Amino acid sequence: MVQSRNARSLIVLVSYHHRNTEKIAQAMAKVLKAEIVKPSEIDPSSLKEYDLVGFGSGVYSAQHDPSIIELAKRIPQVQNKRAFLFTTTGAPTIAMNDEFIKSNHSKLRTILESKGFVIAGEFGCRGWNTNSFLKAFGGLNRGHPDQEDLANAEKFAFSLVG
Ligand SMILES: Cc1cc2nc3c(=O)[nH]c(=O)nc-3n(C[C@H](O)[C@H](O)[C@H](O)COP(=O)(O)O)c2cc1C
């Protein structure tokens, strides 16, 4: 179920560590002509006004930010609505694959599916990580998201709207 570029789209974003995920969200928002909001800026019942809703954040303790999870729990049941999930992760290249990306999304995915959303796609890429002891070594994934990550995010967004 691919929708036209006239579909009304929204991105709910939390990106506080290095604004890594914000860069990805902006690349997607440009393609989707989507507004980007924080979870605190949106009434969960108003999400039904959108055809396509993206939920993105850094990976924090192996999941989306808790404020996104809490928002998802408060969304009333929907019908014929599509959602997509995206994250940036501080994990090293060797750990990056679809399975790892999706495992970080699993809590949010389960909640959204229980609300009736169809998950239209999932995206993940590396993001600069200086959390905890990593700071002492200059962090992991310095320079990410890079131009290739942003191009992949754009490509992903196009795939959602045909
Ligand atoms: C409190 C905290 C917890 C984190 N936990 C994880 C984690 O469990 N797995 C992981 O791969 N990266 C983890 N990271 C790294 C972030 O996912 C990564 O740096 C991400 O790109 C941050 O996105 P942001 O700049 O949009 O906030 C964590 C970072 C922070 C600050």
Side-chain angles (χ1 to χ4, degrees), residues 20-157:
N20 296 326
T21 323
E22 184 177 323
K23 294 179 187 129
I24 294 296
Q26 281 169 348
M28 292 179 177
K30 214 166 149 186
V31 173
L32 300 173
K33 300 188 178 71
E35 192 187 343
I36 301 175
V37 295
K38 297 183 181 128
S40 60
E41 291 170 337
I42 186 97
D43 170 359
S45 60
S46 69
L47 288 177
K48 64 176 181 304
E49 291 161 26
Y50 297 88
D51 305 301
L52 179 65
V53 185
F55 296 86
S57 79
V59 171
Y60 313 117
S61 303
Q63 60 177 44
H64 277 78
D65 186 74
S67 63
I68 294 190
I69 306 274
E70 287 312 306
L71 175 79
K73 286 182 186 166
R74 290 166 46 226
I75 301 173
Q77 210 66 27
V78 298
Q79 275 182 339
N80 299 325
K81 298 291 176 194
R82 300 161 75 229
F84 65 94
L85 311 180
F86 64 101
T87 47
T88 61
T89 160
T93 321
I94 193 164
M96 279 303 281
N97 57 42
D98 267 8
E99 201 183 331
F100 177 72
I101 292 165
K102 287 186 175 175
S103 73
N104 289 317
H105 296 174
S106 67
K107 186 164 184 179
L108 182 59
R109 185 190 318 109
T110 302
I111 298 166
L112 291 173
E113 284 179 336
S114 79
K115 300 292 180 167
F117 281 97
V118 173
I119 306 301
E122 302 190 36
F123 177 89
C125 71
R126 290 184 292 147
W128 186 29
N129 181 9
T130 56
N131 188 35
S132 183
F133 67 90
L134 292 171
K135 202 173 181 171
F137 306 99
L140 269 181
N141 300 335
R142 200 184 187 92
H144 287 275
D146 63 8
Q147 287 308 314
E148 192 182 346
D149 297 321
L150 296 178
N152 287 337
E154 251 185 47
K155 212 187 295 172
F156 170 82

